[in-house]
Amino acid sequence: MLTLLISTLVAIALFSTGASVFYIILAFIGAFFLVGFPVRKRMSKVQKELQVTMQAAQGRMQRKIKQFQNKPGGNVKQMQRQLEIDQKAMLQRALEFVDQLEPFRKWTLLTGRQIATMRFQFYYQLKEFKKADEILATCGFLRGPMMMDPMTAAMRMARCYQNDDLAGAEKVFKRRIRWTWGDRGTLLYGLMSWMYVQVGELDEARRILLKAKEKTGDDTFKKNWEHLSNDRVKKFSNAGLGDQWYSLYLEEPPTPKQQRIKQGHGRNPRGF
């Protein structure tokens, strides 16, 4: 905001000197970028630190999962609890980084929306849905979280569904899906079709799945369309969409599998 204000003042000052329109526009653009550059540079530094921190935390979690899978006899529930603790710590740390972006809010128009978007995503992942809904309530012209990312849009659709607002979910879906190409709309198609199945609108679900098959080519949509077309509603599943589907917390993910202990044929496992 301040960047725009300063640039406007520079342009007005130049206009008062009788300068041509070309130089006034040039001065406005130049001031906008010169003032905004150090702000963007400092913001990028914080965002990069956030990215590195989250990648490191995710790497540690992935290593724990692999160790668990390769170690027979482990306690599955204990492992899941540990991963939940690690994820919670990572997201809370991420929210602290977002707080560091607050001083930049007054400098650019979109910074506030970027902050709202990140907070919404992190609160959703923390399952603090009340806080996530409070952020969504601020949505408006140039306000609230941005829905450019399919995952963010899917999170908003999921909150609409959980709050018994199917019409709201449909509105977000229609507005966002028109700007997706290729497989970028996979999660949105999967979520919208799942919602229709849950409320018993199978014709609408098939319609969405038909479009999803054409647009993405994902086998999950082909199978689900066949299931619904042959009255096998109970076999409808978005498990094929992987982690991005389960990260919406609408269904429980499968339990991680462990490797079984291999034993020699006809021999005692101790070698006797």
Side-chain angles (χ1 to χ4, degrees), residues 11-230:
I12 292 173
L14 197 60
F15 176 77
S16 64
T17 64
S20 66
V21 175
F22 173 78
Y23 287 110
I24 292 174
I25 295 175
L26 188 64
F28 176 86
I29 296 174
F32 185 85
F33 281 100
L34 285 174
V35 174
F37 177 75
V39 176
R40 291 192 299 272
K41 187 176 181 180
R42 292 175 63 186
M43 282 184 61
S44 296
K45 182 180 179 181
V46 176
Q47 291 171 333
K48 186 175 181 180
E49 289 177 0
L50 169 60
Q51 184 179 12
V52 170
T53 300
M54 292 195 69
Q55 286 177 342
Q58 289 169 346
R60 289 192 294 270
M61 291 169 64
Q62 288 296 328
R63 287 193 293 272
K64 286 183 179 181
I65 292 174
K66 289 182 179 179
Q67 290 174 358
F68 171 77
Q69 291 174 333
N70 294 328
K71 184 179 179 181
N75 189 313
V76 176
K77 291 184 178 180
Q78 183 178 353
M79 182 61 190
Q80 289 177 330
R81 285 195 297 269
Q82 183 60 54
L83 289 175
E84 288 174 0
I85 292 172
D86 291 347
Q87 184 180 33
K88 184 176 181 179
M90 176 187 71
L91 294 171
Q92 288 175 335
R93 178 61 177 148
L95 283 169
E96 293 175 3
F97 271 100
V98 175
D99 291 338
Q100 296 179 36
L101 295 174
E102 279 293 342
F104 305 109
R105 180 191 291 269
K106 60 186 177 183
W107 286 95
T108 60
L109 288 172
L110 292 179
T111 301
R113 300 201 68 186
Q114 291 174 336
I115 292 173
T117 302
M118 288 188 284
R119 281 186 176 145
F120 169 68
Q121 291 174 332
F122 295 146
Y123 280 132
Y124 188 102
Q125 291 174 296
L126 283 167
K127 298 184 181 180
E128 295 188 23
F129 298 126
K130 184 177 180 180
K131 291 183 178 179
D133 289 344
E134 289 174 354
I135 294 174
L136 287 178
T138 66
C139 286
F141 181 68
L142 295 179
R143 293 183 292 111
M146 296 181 288
M147 297 294 139
M148 301 300 293
D149 177 55
M151 176 57 77
T152 308
M155 288 177 175
R156 184 175 182 181
M157 288 171 61
R159 290 311 302 149
C160 288
Y161 173 79
Q162 297 285 30
N163 290 320
D164 298 322
D165 183 15
L166 182 62
E170 290 174 323
K171 184 177 180 180
V172 175
F173 173 77
K174 291 176 181 177
R175 183 182 300 170
R176 186 66 189 87
I177 201 66
R178 68 182 65 173
W179 299 105
T180 59
W181 293 271
D183 60 357
R184 283 183 57 79
T186 298
L187 182 60
L188 300 181
Y189 281 120
L191 176 57
M192 196 70 249
S193 61
W194 180 87
M195 289 181 185
Y196 282 135
V197 170
Q198 300 307 304
V199 299
E201 296 187 19
L202 302 185
D203 289 339
E204 287 297 314
R206 281 193 292 268
R207 181 180 63 82
I208 293 295
L209 289 170
L210 189 60
K211 287 185 178 180
K213 288 197 303 174
E214 297 172 354
K215 297 290 185 179
T216 70
D218 195 293
D219 286 339
T220 299
F221 300 136
K222 295 178 182 178
K223 293 177 182 178
N224 282 338
W225 184 84
E226 291 174 358
H227 290 323
L228 296 186
S229 297
N230 292 282

